[in-house]
Amino acid sequence: MEVVTLAEIAVDAIARGLLFALLGAGITLVFGLGDVLNLSLGAFAIVAAVIGATVVSTVPVPIAALAALAGVAALGLAIDRVLLSPVYRTDGEERILLGIFVTLGLAIAIDGVLFAEFSLRYAFPLDVASRTIGGVTVLGSTMVVIVVASIALAGLFLFLRRTTLGKATRTVFQDETGALLCGINPRRLRSLIFVLSVVMAGTAGLLWSIQAPVGAGSAFDLTIYGIIVSIVGGVRNIEGTAVAGVGLGLLMTYANYFIGAYQAMIVLFGFVVVVLIARPEEIA
Amino acid sequence: MSRHPIAALRHRLGRFDDIALGVVVLAIVPQLVVGTGMTYQARLLTIALTFAIFTLGLNVVFGHTDQLFLFVGALAGVGAYTTALLADAVGVSPWLVLPVGALLAGAIGMLVSYVSARRGMTVIVIAILTLSLQLAIMELFGGARDLTRGSTGFLFSGLEVTFLTETLGFSRYVAHYYVLLAVLAVLLVGYRLAMTSKYGLAFKAIRQDEVAAESVGIDVVKYKTIAGFAAAAIIGLAGPLYAHGEGWIEPSMFSFNTVDVIVLIMLVVGGMRTTWGPVVGAGAIVYLEEQLHVLGQWRMTALGLLLMVLFLYFRSGIVPKVTAALDGDGRSVSLTDVTDRFG
């Protein structure tokens, strides 16, 4: 086994892992802040990729990317206002179940629109030359994924750590009643966080479509990746989610290389089962 | 009044009167709906009954013990693949190995319930755990090509009843409908027996307050494990029947989207914790999906939107709603309605 090959796989794995981390962050933010497991997250990633790939023929690449993110942000805000309000009016286990059911319906509805109107597979065309660093060849698209995803995750951390709004969000994560007593309005923060989470998913979708074309059929898979990463990282722990994303990216890519594609997926799901059995109280 | 034949029959049937009536009605349905050569309608009826059995299984474990099993499709697949492959390997009729598939699925359900009850998992953790298992098992069905022939699948129609097709001359689908109806009838009676026994009482106590139930001596882990076994075995039993109805076995038939989503919707729409909820829910959704065909490619979108509305505003389900509307004890009221019409 060549060291160079292993290193090349590692770079791919990190890119894949950072995309996982973005999706995981999308799940963690909304579940941590409002107990809603967003089963429609992957659909937002695909919507962003579809918008991006559609408008990129008429506008420059950065504008197309921003338009795609603005599109999912607007969609996210509308959905938060219309659909999640009745969910947040319930609490405890009822809210968790209602959240699952409503976002499942939403995922089916968005997938339906995509299948009906945008049934092709979409790719975001980005022409960046490959580079060889110390004998290791890195694809241009892989570099773009690593750089952009790192910036997005770093931005999210800075927002949560350094800004007043971010600190208020973290307060609600930890103790909703306490936050309320400090004069924080959890409902408005939840809207903000929901929009932020779908923008993270949208970023992941756009980046994913640079590496491989995506379509409506991929939406649920992306949701699943997000959930797995979030679970392994600890559903209320955004830093843990980022680490878990990269870790699972490595695990899956190497398993894929050494033992085969379908066995790699079984390893991945098996790992989740082990984590859930080992520490179920962290998710509850 | 006691001389009235229907009242007398009802008395003899006791607490199973509604089940007897319902099964009789369901037995008449194909004769009314399915004309000669109309295989399409007959096929829809078999799908409705198959999914009614899946939903009944989910009702036992999710409705009564709050364990959200999101691997109904995988359990059905385990039953179907086990039965088909084992029958083929041993060279016997699939009818003989049908219980093996059901027991294997049941064992998986039992293990999941035991571990999750011991580890104190909440409903969301069980949901994610079983979803992971669903996806892992699906990968196995699709990936273990040497055994399962991968995504191409294979023919399976070993669960014929020649008495129905050859002697009575029913079409393939109508015959299969009566097989499914017989299974459903047995399961409904079993469900009624279980829920009116100490099991039903224990389930109710556990759902209301787990700690309190434990403190009065109810073994919570045991009852949850039993519910997990029973539900998974029912689903594992229905799996091969589902495959027989389709005439084929392939992984996509058992996927989360094809089975679990639909079964969950059927349960919520029909009404959880009711005897007839799963059957009514399955019938309603199969009928609805059929009507949505006029929308063409927008069918899926409409279904998704409808689901959200149903979940947000009609969470209690059709059967509980109708029961409440009929005021009080829905069972006897609905039966009187029928007897009035006869008398």
Side-chain angles (χ1 to χ4, degrees):
Chain A
M1 176 61 54
E2 292 254 359
V3 179
V4 172
T5 315
L6 286 180
E8 277 170 0
I9 296 172
V11 174
D12 280 346
I14 288 168
R16 175 56 52 94
L18 287 169
L19 291 180
F20 283 173
L22 283 174
L23 293 166
I27 294 287
T28 301
L29 285 170
V30 175
F31 193 78
L33 201 64
D35 281 342
V36 169
L37 184 68
N38 182 10
L39 290 180
S40 64
L41 188 80
F44 285 92
I46 303 301
V47 168
V50 170
I51 298 177
T54 310
V55 300
V56 80
S57 54
T58 50
V59 296
V61 164
I63 310 259
L66 288 177
L69 295 183
V72 287
L75 181 63
L77 187 64
I79 280 161
D80 176 80
R81 289 283 124 194
V82 178
L83 283 179
L84 294 184
S85 289
V87 176
Y88 286 130
R89 276 198 286 275
T90 59
D91 55 9
E93 206 142 271
E94 199 191 352
R95 189 197 282 174
I96 291 180
L97 287 177
L98 200 54
I100 291 182
F101 292 145
V102 169
T103 57
L104 186 62
L106 178 64
I108 294 173
I110 297 179
D111 281 1
V113 175
L114 290 173
F115 274 120
E117 290 292 298
F118 304 95
S119 56
L120 304 170
R121 297 185 76 78
Y122 293 82
F124 198 67
L126 204 59
D127 214 9
V128 182
S130 302
R131 291 183 73 165
T132 307
I133 307 159
V136 178
T137 308
V138 182
L139 289 174
S141 59
T142 310
M143 279 187 289
V144 172
V145 168
I146 292 178
V147 171
V148 176
S150 302
I151 292 172
L153 284 168
L156 180 64
F157 288 136
L158 286 177
F159 166 73
L160 290 175
R161 291 265 163 214
R162 295 292 153 86
T163 63
T164 317
L165 204 56
K167 282 179 186 156
T169 308
R170 284 157 50 86
T171 320
V172 180
F173 262 70
Q174 280 152 11
D175 184 352
E176 192 176 322
T177 317
L180 207 57
L181 292 174
C182 295
I184 296 166
N185 179 348
R187 182 65 190 96
R188 293 186 62 163
L189 273 182
R190 284 196 185 113
S191 300
L192 173 76
I193 290 300
F194 188 77
V195 171
L196 200 56
S197 85
V198 299
V199 168
M200 287 290 150
T203 310
L206 276 176
L207 292 174
W208 202 292
S209 73
I210 293 173
Q211 292 194 306
V214 293
S218 336
F220 193 65
D221 293 340
L222 297 188
T223 306
I224 295 296
Y225 290 138
I227 293 175
I228 289 175
V229 168
S230 176
I231 296 296
V232 173
V235 280
R236 280 166 227 281
N237 180 349
I238 198 85
E239 286 85 353
T241 303
V243 175
V246 177
L248 287 175
L250 286 164
L251 174 77
M252 222 180 122
T253 313
Y254 277 108
N256 211 331
Y257 186 78
F258 285 112
I259 58 174
Y262 97 84
Q263 292 92 336
M265 293 302 286
I266 293 177
V267 167
L268 185 70
F269 296 125
F271 190 68
V272 176
V273 170
V274 170
V275 169
L276 286 171
I277 292 172
R279 26 165 237 197
E281 62 286 341
E282 269 195 38
I283 292 116
Chain B
M1 193 59 195
S2 62
R3 292 280 145 209
H4 195 287
I6 285 175
L9 183 67
R10 216 189 127 193
H11 179 72
R12 287 188 61 179
L13 289 169
R15 59 191 161 148
F16 300 108
D17 55 1
D18 60 322
I19 294 177
L21 180 67
V23 170
V24 168
V25 170
L26 286 173
I28 299 169
V29 168
Q31 306 303 331
L32 299 179
V33 179
V34 184
T36 339
M38 291 167 76
T39 50
Y40 184 69
Q41 279 82 350
R43 186 171 168 267
L44 284 183
L45 289 177
T46 62
I47 289 178
L49 280 196
T50 308
F51 275 75
I53 298 175
F54 288 152
T55 310
L56 192 151
L58 187 65
N59 186 31
V60 170
V61 71
F62 179 44
H64 288 280
T65 65
D66 279 346
Q67 305 180 82
L68 180 48
F69 273 19
L70 291 185
F71 66 152
V72 173
L75 290 172
V78 166
Y81 275 105
T82 308
T83 303
L85 296 175
L86 197 63
D88 197 38
V90 184
V92 294
S93 159
W95 282 112
L96 285 176
V97 286
L98 192 64
V100 182
L103 285 175
L104 184 61
I108 296 172
M110 187 167 80
L111 186 67
V112 167
S113 286
Y114 177 76
V115 171
S116 55
R118 282 299 300 267
R119 299 290 298 147
M121 291 185 189
T122 54
V123 60
I124 187 88
V125 183
I126 297 175
I128 300 169
L129 176 75
T130 51
L131 179 59
S132 304
L133 288 170
Q134 161 82 33
L135 298 167
I137 294 171
M138 286 302 295
E139 289 293 333
L140 196 65
F141 290 158
R145 300 191 59 87
D146 300 339
L147 197 62
T148 63
R149 270 169 262 181
S151 53
T152 10
F154 54 91
L155 283 166
F156 176 73
S157 58
L159 295 172
E160 294 282 354
V161 178
T162 46
F163 169 74
L164 291 176
T165 46
E166 283 168 21
T167 316
L168 294 182
F170 286 137
S171 79
R172 174 187 146 72
Y173 286 112
V174 174
H176 188 50
Y177 178 90
Y178 284 111
V179 171
L180 289 165
L181 183 60
V183 173
L184 180 69
V186 171
L187 291 174
L188 287 173
V189 169
Y191 176 82
R192 176 63 51 78
L193 280 173
M195 291 311 153
T196 48
S197 72
K198 65 170 182 168
Y199 290 96
L201 208 60
F203 290 158
K204 205 176 267 179
I206 292 169
R207 278 197 68 252
Q208 274 164 8
D209 188 337
E210 214 164 284
V211 181
E214 192 106 50
S215 70
V216 295
I218 294 172
D219 187 342
V220 175
V221 174
K222 182 183 118 183
Y223 281 101
K224 284 192 169 179
T225 307
I226 290 171
F229 172 80
I234 290 169
I235 296 162
L237 178 77
L241 294 168
Y242 172 46
H244 174 85
E246 302 286 291
W248 194 264
I249 296 185
E250 63 177 348
S252 65
M253 282 165 55
F254 303 101
S255 77
F256 181 75
N257 285 322
T258 330
V259 178
D260 287 88
V261 172
I262 309 294
V263 168
L264 195 59
I265 295 165
M266 286 169 171
L267 182 58
V268 175
V269 168
M272 292 211 269
R273 293 182 284 282
T274 59
T275 309
W276 287 102
V279 183
V280 172
I285 295 300
V286 168
Y287 179 77
L288 195 72
E289 269 212 293
E290 203 35 43
Q291 298 306 306
L292 288 178
H293 268 304
V294 295
L295 295 174
Q297 54 185 1
W298 290 100
R299 190 168 68 108
M300 219 169 117
T301 312
L303 187 69
L305 293 173
L306 193 74
L307 278 186
M308 288 188 275
V309 173
L310 284 172
F311 285 140
L312 283 172
Y313 303 106
F314 301 95
R315 237 170 302 157
S316 58
I318 298 173
V319 170
K321 274 248 155 70
V322 172
T323 312
L326 291 173
D327 198 14
D329 185 5
R331 282 209 290 134
S332 52
V333 173
S334 58
L335 197 85
T336 342
D337 280 351
V338 178
T339 50
D340 284 345
R341 217 160 293 154
F342 282 119

